[in-house]
Amino acid sequence: MSLPRRLEAEWLDHLPPGDSRAIRSRRDLRRINAVMLHAGIVVRLLTRHVAGTPRAILDLGSGDGTFMLAVARRLAPRWRDVTVMLLDRQGIPSEKTRADFAALGWRAEPVSADVFDFFDRSPDAAADIVTANLFLHHFEPAPLAQLLAKAAQRIRLFVACEPRRATFPLISSKLLWALGCNDVTRHDAVVSVHAGFRGRELSELWPANGNWTLQERPAGLFSHCFIAQATGTNPP
């Protein structure tokens, strides 16, 4: 089945953070991330491509921060004293989530901002790594290429885990009622798969200048991962 990439508005993006349906949908997303095994996928990618302990990680579209907390829990035994910047327009990590990071020896720094505004206004914000979980598929090709170019100017490693645009993930996205997911989550899951990635679509949007090793492939049953790693004397 041919599935051309198609973007539509996701309902969660337009609901107030305190809306009961939005709260329920964010809870659904934590379960979906667990089913998709994204925390484990991101941890494996980071440990495979990072030598030593990074100073800081910038996570794009962090939401309430619980996904990166799941990643941090698995990495904390080997990575200590890491700062993670949790960038999101709406999501604000709770005090408990921030305390849970601190208990691991990590510092959580919430940043409430649009991703483009952040890159433009914070050129000196230091991060070794940028991560993105279920975030890049929200963008059309032109702004996505711009986002990737801005990230490439300041990091040595970019790791993304996104929906895979394929028949099986699409069918599965229509069965989320079986997990008790609400109407917002069920709608957005189908939209996310249609906006997902396959092949080398992200690699083709990565800036051609500089020395980078790019990897892009399916991950698990539902996901698509992308890794860009600087080589030689590429950015800081």
Side-chain angles (χ1 to χ4, degrees):
M1 180 188 297
S2 176
L3 291 175
R5 186 165 185 250
R6 186 178 79 230
L7 271 70
E8 298 177 31
E10 294 189 16
W11 290 355
L12 183 58
D13 292 338
H14 299 281
L15 289 173
D19 184 277
S20 61
R21 292 162 71 222
I23 294 170
R24 170 71 180 276
S25 185
R26 287 194 294 272
R27 187 163 63 244
D28 292 342
L29 286 175
R30 289 195 286 272
R31 284 188 293 161
I32 291 171
N33 270 309
V35 170
M36 296 176 78
L37 306 176
H38 274 201
I41 292 170
V42 170
V43 167
R44 285 194 297 274
L45 293 175
L46 290 175
T47 54
R48 186 178 303 159
H49 293 279
V50 179
T53 301
R55 299 164 301 164
I57 300 170
L58 171 61
D59 186 54
L60 306 181
S62 282
D64 61 9
T66 53
F67 174 77
M68 277 306 294
L69 179 59
V71 171
R73 284 181 171 135
R74 300 185 188 205
L75 290 172
R78 68 189 90 179
W79 288 3
R80 304 291 293 178
D81 194 29
V82 177
T83 296
V84 57
M85 290 177 279
L86 303 171
L87 177 65
D88 197 275
R89 286 186 304 176
Q90 293 186 339
I92 300 176
S94 67
E95 288 298 324
K96 181 182 184 306
T97 297
R98 297 178 69 175
D100 288 343
F101 273 107
L104 298 172
W106 286 43
R107 290 179 300 279
E109 295 184 357
V111 181
S112 181
D114 173 84
V115 62
F116 294 99
D117 290 342
F118 174 81
F119 281 132
D120 290 340
R121 298 177 185 177
S122 307
D124 299 324
D128 309 284
I129 301 165
V130 166
T131 56
N133 177 61
L134 302 179
F135 179 69
L136 302 183
H137 70 278
H138 290 93
F139 297 93
E140 295 281 1
L144 180 53
Q146 182 184 8
L147 187 161
L148 297 178
K150 289 178 181 294
Q153 293 172 3
R154 61 172 68 200
I155 59 163
R156 297 195 63 80
L157 180 67
F158 189 105
V159 170
C161 202
E162 294 293 321
R164 182 162 82 248
R165 198 174 74 253
T167 302
F168 182 72
L170 182 60
I171 293 171
S172 300
S173 71
K174 296 178 180 180
L175 300 176
L176 289 180
W177 55 267
L179 294 180
C181 294
N182 75 352
D183 61 322
V184 175
T185 307
R186 297 195 304 270
H187 171 272
D188 288 357
V190 174
V191 169
S192 293
V193 173
H194 280 295
F197 301 99
R198 61 195 303 171
R200 291 185 55 80
E201 290 173 339
L202 289 167
S203 299
E204 291 169 359
L205 296 175
W206 192 260
N209 57 311
N211 299 312
W212 295 89
T213 298
L214 305 179
Q215 298 180 39
E216 191 167 358
R217 59 179 180 271
L221 295 174
F222 313 104
S223 309
H224 183 86
C225 62
F226 170 73
I227 309 99
Q229 186 164 30
T231 59
T233 57
N234 239 34

